[in-house]
Amino acid sequence: MAPISAHTVLIVAAILFVLGLAGVLTRKNIIFMLISIEIMLNAAGLAFIAAGSRWQQPDGQIMYLFILAMAAAEVSVALAMVLQIHHQHKTLDVEDLRELKD
C-alpha cells in the first residue's frame, strides 16, 4: 500500500478547517459552535503532523500535543460557561442571548 502524501493530508486538513469554520458561522447553538471549534483545532493539528512528517521532524507531533492540551482546557472552561448560561437564561441559542444584551 502506497503512503499518503503530505499534500493529500493538508487538503483533508483544509477541508476539515473550512467545515469547522462553516459550523461556527452558521450554527446558533453554543454547544455545536464548540464542536466546530474542536474540528478546527483538530484540522490544525493534522496539518502540523503532516508538516512534521514531510520534513521527518517530531515538531509536528509536539505541537499537536500542545493543541490537545489547549483544546482540553478550552472545553473545560467553555462547558462551565455553557452550564452557567443555561442555568441563568434557560437557553443556549446565540440569537436569544444576543437579544438579552439589548
Side-chain angles (χ1 to χ4, degrees), residues 6-52:
H7 185 264
T8 306
V9 176
L10 288 175
I11 290 173
V12 170
I15 291 169
L16 279 174
F17 191 85
V18 169
L19 286 173
L21 184 64
V24 168
L25 295 176
T26 59
R27 293 293 187 164
K28 294 185 189 321
N29 191 319
I30 295 174
I31 294 177
F32 285 116
M33 292 172 77
L34 289 174
I35 291 171
S36 297
I37 290 171
E38 290 297 320
I39 291 172
M40 292 168 63
L41 286 173
N42 283 324
L46 183 61
F48 275 119
I49 289 177

Side-chain angles (χ1 to χ4, degrees), residues 37-82:
I37 290 171
E38 290 297 320
I39 291 172
M40 292 168 63
L41 286 173
N42 283 324
L46 183 61
F48 275 119
I49 289 177
S53 173
R54 166 72 174 87
W55 290 297
Q56 281 97 32
Q57 296 289 325
D59 299 344
Q61 295 173 3
I62 293 168
M63 286 302 297
Y64 187 66
L65 289 176
F66 284 128
I67 289 172
L68 282 177
M70 182 187 65
E74 178 254 335
V75 164
S76 63
V77 171
L79 285 179
M81 289 173 52
V82 165

